[in-house]
Amino acid sequence: MSLKPDLSVTIRGITFKNPVTVASGTFGNTDEFEPYVNFSRLGAFVTKTITLRPRVGNPMPRIVETPSGMLNAIGLENKGLEDYVENKIPYLAKFNTRLITSIASSNTQEFLDMVKVLDRQAAISAIELNLSCPNIRDQGIRFAQHAQEVGDIVKAVRGATAKLIFTKLSPEMANFMDIAEISVKSGTDALSVINTIKGMSVDIHRRVPRISNVTGGLSGPAIRPIALRYVYEVKRNLDIPVIGMGGISTWQDAMEFIITGAHMVATGTSNFVNPRASLDVLEGIERYLTEKKIESIQSIRGTLKDAYGKKEKSSCSPS
Amino acid sequence: MYDVEVTVKENKRVSEVLWILSFRSPAIAKKALPGQFLQLQVTQATDPFLRRPFSVYKIKRDIIEILYEPVGIGTRILAGTKPGDLLKALGPLGTGFTPQKKKKVLMVGGGVGAAPLVFMAERYPYEKMLLGFRGKHAVLPKSEAKAGERSKWVYATNDGSLGKKGFITQLLEEFLKEPDAKQKYFLYVCGPGPMLYETARLAGEYQVDGEISLEERMGCGMGACLGCVAETKRGYLASCRYGPVFRIQDLMPEGLQCH
Ligand SMILES: Cc1cc2nc3c(=O)[nH]c(=O)nc-3n(C[C@H](O)[C@H](O)[C@H](O)COP(=O)(O)OP(=O)(O)OC[C@H]3O[C@@H](n4cnc5c(N)ncnc54)[C@H](O)[C@@H]3O)c2cc1C
Ligand SMILES: Cc1cc2nc3c(=O)[nH]c(=O)nc-3n(C[C@H](O)[C@H](O)[C@H](O)COP(=O)(O)O)c2cc1C
Ligand code: FES
């Protein structure tokens, strides 16, 4: 008889029952996946990014399929903070999982205004700062291109809440590692790596871009190797927990991220194809650990060896 | 809603461009309503990655039928499936048509958009099934109508090779011109954008009520990605969840054109 492996992960003293979560914007905001997934089995539930005020989002078409993935330019359509607090949190609070609220804004003051409201919500375990949505044409993306401004936002939010702060980054950020580093220095508790990568697709018959925004964020299996490489870069250089995402569809994909050093993993676009992707990943990880007689997720995290099978020197410390 | 692995029972061609695929799923068969759709996963590979939405066409006991036209990578894979092959089917999803008690129903379909209308016609009474196709080669044959209802099916083809030459909306207008059309008729509509736009325009002009099934490109089919929104008078609504069937009057006509 083998014992059940310990799947729990801890980030700054807060324990998540397992390392599997879902990527913001790919799992809805309330009951969209309830017919398929028992939310109480997830390590955490990350909701779609909200903004202070409602946003209508971009005109159609907003998505297009591309090889092994898709482009999206939803434009952060959401009903705003007030609706989230009034209608979404009461529903999500019923489940025995950790709630992570993703927020975006184009300025520090608005971030602070949102965080002050969210900080009072006991149901929320962590706030994810979406500093990297490539699909809004206002200041959103430009803002987060400057390391100093990212640092200021994270520092300000740090001062306003004791809840966990996750900072979400995208390879679209020109100086990714500088931004990662300043986020850590400014007090983020973890980095969510990665958001989508900008791409484009053209309808050659009508000679128009296939999505109204012209460019959109690429996600799905197509970006997985890139996502993994960014997780690797972060773990090599910084001592910070990472929530790894980008093209994860199976438990094998997820294990690549965990071995590379990710504390948690999120299924994103794959939820659209297999609504049970998150739980399939979770069950697969558990089986893998059980079969290999590895007693905990912590003991395999960040155990990547070099290409010759030796342990890679890295700054990641088990926590 | 269920996500089930299903085995292809039959996959046959019913015209030069239309195919019918069938599989058994007692759970979906029991629940599906006319107008609802399924998200079919046609391959285990990652390309094409997303599932494809298809209206339920017919249900015979616990057998589901899908009417489809191969237009791209996913539907061509579907056309290549053989009895015994496995697919995944998620559904039934979305809203269905609202059955009418008092009014007489006119169905207005374009091409493969006939699918949800035929399912509605299998279950509820209707006055006429007005169907538009590119040409004779593309027509859904009358043998697909319920026994005794063939005469209710009326065709228009763009090239005049079968039925009336022109658009099905021209035939529709004949009915809408009747003096008591407003009180008498209710429309169920599904088809390509220009047809939806013209039907909505006529419905407005003659003040006839009805419902349109939209066929937006979809990501998840579950209301999560917001990639399929319809422009409604209440703002954008995910058509996979709050539709695909909408009241004609609730839709913004401009939004219909680009379908
Ligand atoms: C609710 C709903 C019900 C549907 N019911 C049926 C049905 O019963 N039978 C049927 O044959 N088809 C139906 N469709 C359309 C069907 O889903 C598409 O034809 C299919 O997804 C195309 O996949 P593909 O891989 O073959 O094409 P792709 O290779 O993905 O695309 C081929 C071309 O079709 C266009 N296209 C793809 N999807 C759509 C779409 N939804 N609307 C308009 N253009 C599109 C693409 O832009 C491209 O130009 C329905 C769609 C929806 C949303
Ligand atoms: C339709 C769609 C909507 C998304 N919306 C958001 C969002 O609101 N906020 C956010 O931080 N990321 C958003 N993302 C990015 C995902 O959270 C994730 O970072 C990215 O898709 C990579 O993971 P994946 O390849 O597993 O999907 C969205 C992705 C998709 C496909
Ligand atoms: S297809 Fe994702 S919300 Fe409708």
Side-chain angles (χ1 to χ4, degrees):
Chain A
M1 251 295 289
S2 56
L3 279 171
K4 277 206 163 216
D6 176 8
L7 293 175
S8 68
V9 296
T10 304
I11 298 176
R12 190 168 54 81
I14 309 280
T15 301
F16 295 76
K17 71 174 122 188
N18 67 60
V20 179
T21 182
V22 288
S24 174
T26 66
F27 206 69
N29 245 340
T30 43
D31 62 354
E32 290 86 348
F33 279 75
E34 205 191 79
Y36 319 102
V37 174
N38 173 0
F39 300 155
S40 295
R41 290 188 62 196
L42 295 172
F45 187 124
V46 186
T47 44
K48 169 145 183 84
T49 300
I50 53 163
T51 47
L52 184 58
R53 276 172 286 277
R55 283 180 63 96
V56 291
N58 291 332
M60 290 285 281
R62 292 176 169 186
I63 57 172
V64 65
E65 194 182 48
T66 54
S68 298
M70 65 182 276
L71 295 170
N72 88 80
I74 308 300
L76 288 187
E77 176 181 337
N78 78 95
K79 294 203 167 81
L81 177 68
E82 201 179 306
D83 168 78
Y84 184 80
V85 171
E86 267 171 37
N87 303 317
K88 309 293 163 41
I89 292 181
Y91 169 81
L92 294 167
K94 292 186 300 194
F95 299 96
N96 180 21
T97 184
R98 292 203 176 273
L99 175 58
I100 300 175
T101 302
S102 168
I103 61 174
S105 170
S106 47
N107 68 72
T108 311
Q109 189 53 48
E110 235 179 59
F111 265 118
L112 275 179
D113 293 344
M114 297 180 81
V115 169
K116 277 180 199 146
V117 173
L118 296 172
D119 186 58
R120 292 196 294 268
Q121 297 294 324
I124 297 175
S125 294
I127 295 170
E128 183 170 83
L129 305 176
N130 176 5
L131 301 179
S132 52
C133 179
N135 305 322
I136 35 181
R137 289 244 177 116
D138 36 87
Q139 294 119 317
I141 183 70
R142 232 183 324 132
F143 198 84
Q145 290 288 3
H146 303 289
Q148 195 49 54
E149 285 170 308
V150 170
D152 290 346
I153 296 172
V154 177
K155 203 176 283 169
V157 171
R158 179 74 291 164
T161 186
K163 292 189 191 295
L164 290 177
I165 301 172
F166 293 1
T167 303
K168 186 158 177 181
L169 306 177
S170 157
E172 280 305 312
M173 297 168 151
N175 36 7
F176 183 94
M177 279 312 298
D178 293 346
I179 292 182
E181 190 176 345
I182 201 158
S183 303
V184 173
K185 283 202 178 124
S186 307
T188 197
D189 296 301
L191 296 175
S192 298
V193 178
I194 57 174
N195 208 322
T196 54
I197 305 165
K198 248 195 229 184
M200 187 171 159
S201 175
V202 167
D203 179 334
I204 60 164
H205 302 293
R206 294 168 53 226
R207 281 179 273 147
V208 294
R210 284 187 192 270
I211 46 181
S212 69
N213 193 56
V214 182
T215 59
L218 181 62
S219 64
I223 69 167
R224 201 177 70 229
I226 300 172
L228 189 61
R229 171 228 154 179
Y230 276 93
V231 171
Y232 175 71
E233 297 275 343
V234 169
K235 292 309 295 186
R236 245 164 83 98
N237 293 293
L238 298 167
D239 183 10
I240 189 79
V242 164
I243 292 82
M245 70 195 80
I248 296 177
S249 309
T250 66
W251 65 267
Q252 290 94 332
D253 302 343
M255 281 313 303
E256 288 194 51
F257 284 77
I258 290 170
I259 289 166
T260 303
H263 268 63
M264 299 184 80
V265 286
T267 53
T269 309
S270 64
N271 296 312
F272 301 165
V273 183
N274 170 16
R276 240 186 139 269
S278 53
L279 293 187
D280 285 352
V281 164
L282 174 61
E283 288 160 12
I285 292 174
E286 188 163 8
R287 260 194 327 271
Y288 171 87
L289 296 183
T290 307
E291 277 164 21
K292 291 211 179 306
K293 299 197 168 55
I294 298 167
E295 77 276 14
S296 70
I297 197 83
Q298 186 182 310
S299 54
I300 191 161
R301 179 194 314 137
T303 55
L304 185 70
K305 299 167 191 167
D306 69 16
Y308 306 100
K310 293 189 209 107
K311 173 92 172 70
E312 164 96 19
K313 251 217 185 100
S314 94
S315 64
C316 56
S317 57
S319 63
Chain B
M1 285 159 276
Y2 309 95
D3 187 16
V4 288
E5 191 167 63
V6 298
T7 310
V8 174
K9 186 169 173 285
E10 200 180 7
N11 188 20
K12 65 175 187 209
R13 217 169 170 157
V14 288
S15 79
E16 234 173 88
V17 303
L18 294 174
W19 292 64
I20 294 175
L21 177 108
S22 64
F23 54 83
R24 188 175 162 274
S25 168
I28 293 174
K30 218 169 161 184
K31 259 194 112 179
L33 301 170
Q36 288 191 301
F37 68 99
L38 307 174
Q39 282 273 79
L40 293 187
Q41 190 178 356
V42 300
T43 171
Q44 292 293 308
T46 59
D47 192 21
F49 187 56
L50 298 170
R51 293 196 187 207
R52 270 41 184 174
F54 296 94
S55 301
V56 175
Y57 172 60
K58 282 182 185 174
I59 292 180
K60 295 172 178 163
R61 293 171 163 276
D62 52 9
I63 305 295
I64 318 281
E65 287 186 2
I66 299 295
L67 175 75
Y68 69 100
E69 175 178 352
V71 293
I73 178 169
T75 42
R76 264 184 237 120
I77 291 175
L78 210 52
T81 57
K82 294 187 178 54
D85 287 352
L86 296 177
L87 298 171
K88 281 188 96 181
L90 179 75
L93 300 165
T95 53
F97 291 111
T98 317
Q100 298 301 308
K101 289 211 180 76
K102 299 202 178 87
K103 291 185 176 174
K104 293 189 169 179
V105 164
L106 296 175
M107 311 264 194
V108 190
V112 79
L117 305 178
V118 171
F119 187 21
M120 194 63 191
E122 293 266 309
R123 296 216 169 155
Y124 296 95
Y126 64 102
E127 188 73 9
K128 286 279 183 240
M129 174 77 75
L130 308 175
L131 299 175
F133 297 96
R134 276 161 281 167
K136 193 177 173 189
H137 68 287
V139 159
L140 180 68
K142 283 196 180 179
S143 53
E144 287 297 308
K146 237 164 71 174
E149 294 193 343
R150 288 186 189 193
S151 60
K152 293 188 183 178
W153 286 33
V154 184
Y155 297 122
T157 50
N158 300 352
D159 60 4
S161 53
L162 189 80
K164 188 181 165 68
K165 180 175 161 67
F167 296 115
I168 198 64
T169 42
Q170 295 168 293
L171 275 177
L172 171 67
E173 193 167 8
E174 313 267 300
F175 289 91
L176 299 185
K177 274 183 183 156
E178 293 172 17
D180 54 347
K182 186 180 164 185
Q183 288 78 34
K184 191 168 155 193
Y185 291 126
F186 191 91
L187 312 178
Y188 297 132
V189 191
C190 186
M195 192 208 92
L196 298 184
Y197 182 78
E198 177 62 8
T199 308
R201 192 190 66 74
L202 290 172
E205 186 179 332
Y206 294 96
Q207 297 179 306
V208 172
D209 210 352
E211 291 176 330
I212 284 183
S213 176
L214 284 183
E215 299 197 336
E216 286 289 1
R217 233 185 277 175
M218 286 186 183
C220 64
M222 294 174 276
C225 73
L226 304 182
C228 68
V229 292
E231 256 184 283
T232 76
K233 302 223 163 109
R234 288 185 286 151
Y236 285 134
L237 287 178
S239 71
C240 62
R241 186 168 179 170
Y242 302 99
V245 177
F246 290 96
R247 282 280 295 278
I248 295 178
Q249 290 81 345
D250 291 344
L251 293 169
M252 303 295 282
E254 312 85 71
L256 294 171
Q257 235 159 351
C258 58
H259 272 262

